[in-house]
């Protein structure tokens, strides 16, 4: 493999990893506050996608539409909290999990019935698909944009988590998962804030994801949900830094498998990635996190 | 045997006898009273109830929602279907199968046995990593398992015929075999819940940290429950397959998962009785909406075909029910005789 | 080792959390049939000590040896099988199970029918009449008793009680004292008891020996009357004069 190719794959992995990291952060923020995974998380991205689809079809510029996509994501995240999580505070975890799964099913069914069960394309501006030629290196513009946006978002998030009071509260909840759990149910405002943050992160990641795939479909939310889940498990649960590490780790595993595997096996990359993750978890049940000191069995 | 609580066994037996009576009534109605369509519905109800009870034996005792049981369902159904299919049909539809699979033509008990072995191996491989995970991520891990299984079933043309599905599966099931299956699975689920292993899983459900401190191996206990319920699921799936005669990958995906889990959650995950009651309720809703889904008229207004209607209605009803009763209709209560005063 | 000593021995245990030293070179030993009290103000490392012994936390250094077996950093279920049972500072019962099932669920081996064993423990703790109630529905003082019955049902050689009297009124506290003493004195059980508390009253009247922790270090140990009057203890821990012991 030439240096050029290696750099290209590295950028590819970094940009995919940026999306995964943002996605994982969005899932992890709510998880760290509530101790529950939001099974309707993928649908936040779906709704953002369809919002963009209609705006872009109506003639709006892709990146303006993206702003509305993020707003739609925040609204969806809040709606999920209002419908599935808030009425069920204190209920058994199974009930809440299933409620969020039900919301996911309802959103998918509504889109299939009202709009269409088939995928729809979103035209992405053509310059985005271009490359910058830098000496012998070909740098895809979209990948660079993705990395830049993700870095800005993560720096902003880090700043907010360190220098604002609600941010500090969320960080306390995330960093010291067990202790916060032991101290009882978190305040309603903290939960609300976590869902807003989750919506913003999912929205930004969703826009980048859609720019990459160029289409929307009712079931499009599932892959982002699964990838962000794998990322937070890989990174060690209830720990925001771990979510970012896990996101990048997952992207590197995926890209490496795509490059190294024979072409005949490429359709099974997703399955093999999962196998790789299970193998890692077998040897390191706590993921890449070294924080977990409390053991059960 | 001393660790088996006589008291728990006695209660389980009473519940079993009562639930078996319910199944007996349904079977007798199906055999002697109902018309063919209704009788088919009654049979399907008992098969679905068996599957939901099998799921309950894990979800209820462990407190961990599992989407992965539909993966067991798929594996069990395909294995039983392939085992029982006649060699000629296999030659015709699945010529690329290995010869020893083609030449096999299993009877009902043999098909069930092979399905149980296959599902048990599958469950053992998946159960080891899943049981070691933190309880808050196990449900999502089982969802990942379901999706991977669906992908494989969809793509493995030589064995599953991909999206076209299996056809010409022989009909080896009578109403009475279905009755026997439902009674057996219900009995096994109740016995497991009453056993020391089942009680340990309930203990882990309530507080894994305290349970571990008191000597209970959390992962091993969860793994046992996973295996028990996988085996029950395999039996139910095999009977389902040999009653359905043709099926495809879409029958083992989100819609099915949602429907089976809805049955369980509506009735209450905590009890076998709840699982069966929930199956009855959702089956009735499904039947009454099936007509509406094909489109209907309110006066002069023609409502068009609504393919996702059932799912939507069940999902909404379920959300409302959960808000009203988070533990489902039955909670942890089983059907039993009123307690004697002391 | 020729004849392993029948005791629970903690030697030189240090536990560091990011930047914070919770335990600093702490040692203790507990024999069968003995009642040892570990006292210290909040944050002195008492609960960390229980968590290290029961395997919830792996110590940074030091060893835990039970009856001659080194069980340092071994997982909690295995430590339990070596004969250590514990209660929790905040009662942790299996709330949606009956009192009876709380106890039955942890019985490992049974020479007699398990129902009988469970009833005997409940009887001994005076809660047999509550056997069919859900554990989570009981009053706090009664929950404490269920927790002790449950710990005893594992057949422990060493019972660790983490602030057993917290949240109890005087009568309940006195009842608890009787129960704990009867356990320690029961030759058949052959069980040592380690009580962790910041309240001197219960502990001084009950314990054979006391050990005082302050900022993660042992600052005094010995028989209760000596420890109570130890100047270092009075100054560092109590700040004021100790309350007179009862009984």
């Amino acid at each position: 493999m030439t240096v050029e190719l290696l750099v290209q794959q590295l950028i590819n992995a970094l940009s995919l990893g940026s999306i995964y990291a943002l996605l994982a952060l969005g899932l992890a923020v709510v998880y760290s506050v509530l101790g529950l995974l939001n099974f309707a998380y993928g649908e936040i991205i779906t709704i953002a996608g369809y919002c963009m689809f209609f705006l872009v079809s109506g003639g709006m510029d892709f990146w303006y539409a993206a702003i509305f996509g993020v707003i739609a994501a925040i609204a969806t995240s809040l709606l999920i909290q209002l419908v599935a999580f808030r009425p069920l505070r204190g209920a058994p975890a199974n009930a809440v999990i299933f409620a969020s799964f039900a919301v996911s099913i309802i959103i998918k069914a509504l889109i299939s019935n009202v709009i269409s069960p088939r995928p729809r394309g979103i035209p992405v501006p053509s310059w985005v698909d271009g490359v910058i030629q830098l000496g012998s290196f070909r740098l895809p513009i979209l990948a660079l944009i993705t990395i830049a946006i993700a870095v800005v978002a993560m720096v902003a998030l880090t700043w907010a988590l360190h220098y604002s009071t609600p941010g500090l509260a969320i960080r306390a909840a995330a960093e010291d998962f067990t202790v916060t759990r032991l101290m009882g149910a978190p305040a309603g405002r903290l939960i609300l804030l976590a869902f807003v943050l989750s919506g913003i992160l999912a929205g930004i990641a969703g826009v980048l994801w859609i720019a990459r795939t160029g289409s929307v479909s009712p079931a499009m939310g599932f892959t982002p949900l699964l990838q962000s889940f794998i990322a937070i498990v890989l990174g060690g649960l209830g720990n925001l830094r771990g979510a970012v590490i896990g996101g990048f780790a997952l992207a590197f595993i995926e890209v490496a498998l795509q490059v190294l595997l024979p072409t005949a096996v490429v359709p099974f990359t997703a399955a093999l990635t999962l196998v790789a993750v299970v193998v890692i978890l077998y040897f390191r049940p706590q993921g890449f996190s070294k924080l977990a000191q409390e053991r059960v069995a | 045997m001393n660790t088996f609580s006589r008291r728990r066994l006695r209660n389980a037996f009473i519940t079993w006898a009562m639930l078996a009576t319910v199944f007996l009534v349904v079977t007798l109605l199906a055999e002697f009273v109902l018309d063919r369509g209704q009788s088919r519905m009654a049979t399907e109800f008992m098969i679905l109830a068996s599957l939901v009870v099998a799921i309950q034996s894990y979800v209820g005792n462990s407190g961990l929602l599992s989407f992965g049981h539909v993966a067991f369902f798929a594996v069990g159904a395909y294995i039983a279907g392939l085992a029982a299919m006649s060699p000629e049909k296999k030659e015709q539809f699945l010529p690329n199968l290995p010869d020893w699979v083609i030449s096999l033509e299993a009877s009902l008990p043999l098909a069930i046995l092979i399905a149980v072995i296959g599902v048990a191996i599958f469950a053992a491989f998946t159960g080891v990593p899943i049981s070691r995970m933190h309880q808050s991520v196990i449900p999502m891990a089982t969802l990942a398992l379901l999706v991977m299984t669906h992908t494989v079933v969809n793509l493995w043309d030589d064995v599953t015929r991909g999206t076209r599905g299996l056809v010409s599966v022989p009909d080896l099931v009578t109403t009475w075999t279905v009755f026997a299956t439902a009674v057996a699975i219900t009995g096994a689920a109740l016995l497991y819940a009453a056993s020391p292993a089942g009680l340990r899983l309930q203990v882990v459900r309530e507080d894994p940290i305290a349970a571990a401190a008191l000597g209970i191996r959390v992962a091993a206990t969860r793994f046992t429950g996973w295996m028990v319920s996988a085996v029950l699921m395999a039996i139910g799936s095999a009977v389902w397959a040999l009653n359905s005669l043709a099926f495809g990958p879409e029958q083992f995906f989100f819609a099915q998962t949602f429907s089976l889990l809805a049955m369980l959650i509506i009735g209450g995950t905590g009890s076998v009785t709840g699982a069966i009651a929930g199956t009855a309720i959702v089956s009735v809703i499904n039947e009454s909406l099936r007509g509406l889904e094909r489109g209907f008229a309110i006066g002069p207004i023609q409502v068009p075909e609504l393919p996702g209607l059932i799912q939507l209605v069940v999902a909404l009803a379920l959300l409302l029910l959960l808000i009203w009763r988070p533990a489902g209709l039955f909670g942890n209560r089983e059907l039993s005789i009123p307690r004697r005063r002391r | 080792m020729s004849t392993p000593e029948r005791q629970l021995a903690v030697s030189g245990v240090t536990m560091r959390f990011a930047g914070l030293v919770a335990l600093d070179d702490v040692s203790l030993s507990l024999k069968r049939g003995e009642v040892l009290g570990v006292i210290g103000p909040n944050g002195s490392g008492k609960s960390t000590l229980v968590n290290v012994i029961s395997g919830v936390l792996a110590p940074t250094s030091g060893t835990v040896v039970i009856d001659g077996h080194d069980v340092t950093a071994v997982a909690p279920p295995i430590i339990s099988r070596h004969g250590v049972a514990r209660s929790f500072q905040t009662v942790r019962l299996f709330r949606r199970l009956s009192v009876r099932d709380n106890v039955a669920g942890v019985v490992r081996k049974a020479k007699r029918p398990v129902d009988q064993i469970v009833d005997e423990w409940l009887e001994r703790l005076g809660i047999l009449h509550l056997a069919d109630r859900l554990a989570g529905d009981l009053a706090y003082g009664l929950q404490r008793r269920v927790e002790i019955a449950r710990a005893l049902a594992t057949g422990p050689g060493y019972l660790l009680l983490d602030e057993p009297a917290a949240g109890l009124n005087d009568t309940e506290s006195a009842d608890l004292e009787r129960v704990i003493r009867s356990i320690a004195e029961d030759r058949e059980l052959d069980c040592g008891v380690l009580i962790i508390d910041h309240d001197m009253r219960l502990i001084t009247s009950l314990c054979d020996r006391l050990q005082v922790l302050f900022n993660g270090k042992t600052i005094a140990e010995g028989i209760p009357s000596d420890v109570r009057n130890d100047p270092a203890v009075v100054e560092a821990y109590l700040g004021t004069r100790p309350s007179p012991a009862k009984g």
Side-chain angles (χ1 to χ4, degrees):
Chain A
M1 192 188 296
T2 61
V3 181
E4 284 80 8
L5 212 57
L6 194 72
V7 169
Q8 220 162 316
Q9 293 299 351
L10 197 69
I11 290 177
N12 185 18
L14 278 176
S15 87
L16 191 61
S18 305
I19 298 179
Y20 287 169
L22 289 178
L23 282 170
L25 275 172
L27 189 64
V29 160
V30 168
Y31 176 75
S32 56
V33 172
L34 285 180
L36 291 167
L37 290 166
N38 176 6
F39 277 70
Y41 182 66
E43 276 58 44
I44 298 176
I45 291 153
T46 310
I47 300 271
Y50 274 90
C51 171
M52 283 178 68
F53 166 71
F54 283 115
L55 293 174
V56 172
S57 310
M60 191 185 273
D61 177 73
F62 184 88
W63 297 105
Y64 278 121
I67 295 171
F68 287 97
V70 174
I71 294 172
I74 300 170
T76 312
S77 184
L78 284 173
L79 184 77
I80 293 168
Q81 121 89 357
L82 192 72
V83 175
F85 286 86
R86 202 166 73 184
L88 285 162
R89 279 186 75 178
N94 275 349
V96 190
I97 291 170
F98 196 71
S100 65
F101 185 64
V103 169
S104 141
I105 293 274
I106 291 172
I107 292 176
K108 278 198 277 250
L110 277 176
I111 293 176
S112 291
N113 279 295
V114 178
I115 303 168
S116 162
R118 315 181 90 86
R120 294 289 173 87
I122 296 188
V124 179
S126 55
W127 60 268
V128 169
D129 283 330
V131 289
I132 295 174
Q133 194 78 38
L134 206 72
S136 60
F137 296 104
R138 291 164 57 83
L139 311 176
I141 292 175
L142 180 60
L144 298 179
I145 295 177
T146 302
I147 296 171
I149 292 180
V151 166
V152 170
M154 280 188 264
V155 168
L157 180 70
T158 312
W159 185 83
L161 290 179
H162 279 83
Y163 297 103
S164 72
T165 320
L168 283 171
I170 288 203
R171 198 158 65 98
E175 302 285 301
D176 213 339
F177 182 63
T178 27
V179 170
T180 320
R181 301 269 85 230
L182 290 176
M183 291 196 319
R189 268 189 49 200
L190 190 65
I191 298 177
L192 210 62
L193 191 76
F195 274 94
V196 170
L197 218 52
S198 172
I200 295 174
L201 290 161
I204 297 172
V207 167
L208 298 172
W209 182 266
I210 290 158
R212 209 181 157 90
T213 59
S215 72
V216 291
S217 70
M220 66 180 280
F222 187 74
T223 310
L225 171 70
L226 192 64
Q227 304 300 57
S228 37
F229 163 68
I230 296 173
I232 68 170
V233 171
L234 259 184
L237 291 169
N239 154 355
L240 297 183
R241 201 176 300 117
V244 175
I245 297 170
F248 281 103
L250 176 62
F252 276 92
I253 295 173
E254 214 177 287
V255 170
L257 285 177
Q258 263 164 15
V259 174
L260 300 176
L261 289 175
T263 31
V265 200
V266 165
F268 294 95
T269 308
L272 289 169
T273 306
L274 206 66
V275 171
V277 169
V278 168
V279 170
I280 292 173
L281 288 178
Y282 194 83
F283 292 106
R284 296 196 63 152
Q286 313 285 7
F288 293 130
S289 154
K290 54 177 194 282
L291 281 172
Q293 266 158 335
E294 195 159 335
R295 297 168 309 143
V296 174
Chain B
M1 286 308 283
N2 274 334
T3 48
F4 273 86
S5 159
R6 286 277 187 85
R7 183 181 44 82
R8 288 172 71 88
L9 285 177
R10 193 188 57 227
N11 290 343
F13 183 77
I14 293 168
T15 306
W16 184 48
M18 295 174 90
L19 291 174
T21 313
V22 172
F23 285 130
L24 182 63
V25 171
V26 171
T27 309
L28 290 174
L29 285 174
E31 284 286 275
F32 302 112
V33 181
L34 302 175
D35 65 38
R36 270 188 64 155
Q38 290 166 326
S39 148
R40 184 152 184 89
M41 273 170 54
T43 312
E44 271 164 20
F45 158 72
M46 287 194 287
I47 296 176
L48 284 176
S50 308
L51 293 169
V52 176
V53 167
I55 300 174
Q56 190 277 339
S57 65
Y58 182 73
V59 174
N61 293 313
S62 73
L64 302 165
L65 200 60
S66 168
F67 299 87
H69 280 65
V70 179
F72 298 157
F73 183 14
V75 174
Y78 271 96
I79 292 180
L82 284 173
M85 230 165 137
S86 72
E88 301 79 58
K89 293 289 181 191
K90 272 185 266 200
E91 200 73 74
Q92 184 186 343
F93 293 114
L94 296 154
N96 294 331
L97 283 175
D99 286 342
W100 61 273
V101 180
I102 291 187
S103 60
L104 182 69
E105 187 172 11
S107 61
L108 178 70
L110 185 61
I112 291 177
L113 181 70
I114 296 173
V116 165
I117 293 170
V119 170
I121 294 170
F122 179 58
F125 273 107
T126 54
V128 169
I130 284 178
S131 302
R132 285 159 55 108
M133 289 180 178
H134 190 270
Q135 68 256 28
S136 62
V137 301
I138 289 178
M140 188 71 88
T142 61
L143 186 64
L145 173 63
L146 169 65
V147 175
M148 297 329 309
T149 308
H150 180 255
T151 311
V152 171
V153 169
N154 236 341
L155 293 178
W156 203 2
D157 251 358
D158 287 351
V159 175
T160 63
R161 289 186 87 228
T163 49
R164 290 166 299 166
L166 285 194
V167 290
S168 296
V169 177
D171 183 1
L172 300 179
V173 169
T174 67
T175 312
W176 286 106
T177 33
V178 170
F179 165 75
T181 309
V183 170
I185 289 181
T186 305
L190 286 165
L191 180 64
Y192 172 64
S195 74
L199 178 56
R200 278 198 294 275
L201 190 54
Q202 292 160 22
V203 158
V204 168
R205 169 190 77 199
E206 293 298 309
D207 189 337
I209 292 177
L214 291 155
I216 292 172
R217 289 183 308 224
V218 173
T221 305
R222 286 191 178 136
F223 182 75
T224 310
W226 177 262
M227 291 306 292
V228 166
S229 102
V231 166
L232 298 184
M233 201 70 198
I235 299 171
S237 317
V239 172
W240 180 91
L242 302 180
N243 183 62
S244 301
L245 315 186
F247 49 85
E250 284 316 306
Q251 265 150 306
F252 309 100
F253 209 34
F254 283 146
Q256 184 73 269
T257 308
F258 180 75
S259 174
L260 289 174
L261 289 182
M263 292 168 177
L264 178 58
I265 300 232
I266 282 181
T269 55
S271 76
V272 173
T273 309
I276 295 169
T279 310
I281 292 167
V282 176
S283 298
V284 168
I285 297 178
N286 281 348
E287 277 313 314
S288 41
L289 291 178
R290 188 153 295 167
L292 297 185
E293 244 190 357
R294 297 195 197 101
F296 56 93
I298 309 169
I301 307 158
Q302 185 63 40
V303 178
E305 208 175 317
L306 298 166
L309 184 73
I310 291 183
Q311 227 186 17
L312 212 57
V313 170
V314 173
L316 283 171
L318 198 95
L319 264 183
L320 292 176
L321 180 108
L322 278 180
I323 290 164
W324 171 54
R325 272 191 105 128
L329 293 174
F330 278 77
N332 286 330
R333 280 186 300 278
E334 292 287 4
L335 203 57
S336 73
I337 41 175
R339 201 135 41 91
R340 283 164 299 173
R341 288 182 161 272
R342 290 202 235 181
Chain C
M1 208 171 286
S2 51
T3 44
E5 261 190 283
R6 304 250 294 164
Q7 66 166 2
L8 169 66
V10 173
S11 21
V13 161
T14 297
M15 182 77 221
R16 249 181 238 111
F17 299 107
L20 177 89
V21 182
L23 290 176
D24 187 357
D25 194 21
V26 172
S27 301
L28 65 78
S29 69
L30 172 66
K31 293 186 182 60
R32 302 280 179 115
E34 180 188 37
V35 185
L36 172 67
V38 172
I39 56 171
N42 284 326
S44 58
K46 305 181 303 284
S47 283
T48 308
L49 183 62
V50 175
N51 284 334
V52 167
I53 297 174
S54 61
V56 174
L57 295 173
T60 317
S61 62
T63 58
V64 180
V65 176
I66 302 169
D67 294 346
H69 302 279
D70 187 342
V71 294
T72 316
V74 163
I78 298 170
I79 293 199
S80 167
R81 278 148 209 264
H82 276 100
V84 173
R86 67 171 291 186
S87 72
F88 291 85
Q89 193 174 342
T90 50
V91 179
R92 299 185 81 139
L93 290 180
F94 310 128
R95 300 179 61 87
R96 285 176 302 164
L97 295 179
S98 70
V99 169
R100 196 172 250 147
D101 288 343
N102 263 266
V103 179
V106 301
V107 174
R108 280 194 287 270
K109 303 187 287 266
K111 291 203 183 71
R112 292 167 297 135
V114 67
D115 294 329
Q116 205 179 323
I117 297 173
V118 170
D119 281 4
E120 282 166 15
W121 284 120
L122 295 180
E123 175 92 72
R124 180 150 186 180
L125 273 290
I127 43 177
L128 184 56
H129 60 293
L130 302 169
D132 290 320
R133 297 268 298 275
L134 288 189
D137 292 348
L138 298 183
Y140 196 69
L142 296 170
Q143 292 198 9
R144 287 251 177 237
R145 289 181 184 220
V146 179
E147 212 183 20
I148 294 175
R150 188 179 69 176
L152 289 170
T154 64
Y158 307 96
L159 180 62
L160 316 183
L161 301 175
D162 195 351
E163 303 206 8
L168 301 190
N169 63 33
D170 285 352
T171 338
E172 288 172 331
S173 197
D175 285 345
L176 183 74
E177 197 181 316
R178 258 197 306 281
V179 170
I180 295 172
R181 181 164 294 139
S182 88
I183 294 165
E185 286 168 0
D186 189 328
R187 281 290 170 78
E188 222 175 300
L189 280 182
D190 194 23
C191 182
V193 182
L194 176 70
I195 304 176
I196 301 276
D197 220 316
H198 57 255
D199 177 16
M200 269 236 171
R201 224 173 27 184
L202 173 86
I203 237 171
T204 43
S205 62
L206 198 53
C207 296
D208 304 317
R209 282 190 303 126
L210 275 189
Q211 188 162 340
V212 185
L213 284 188
F214 185 69
N215 283 343
K217 285 193 184 68
T218 303
I219 57 167
E221 55 184 313
I223 59 169
S225 57
D226 290 351
V227 167
R228 223 172 32 196
N229 298 319
D230 188 304
V233 176
V234 174
E235 193 193 321
Y237 166 50
L238 299 164
T240 56
R241 277 163 49 80
S243 53
K246 288 197 293 188

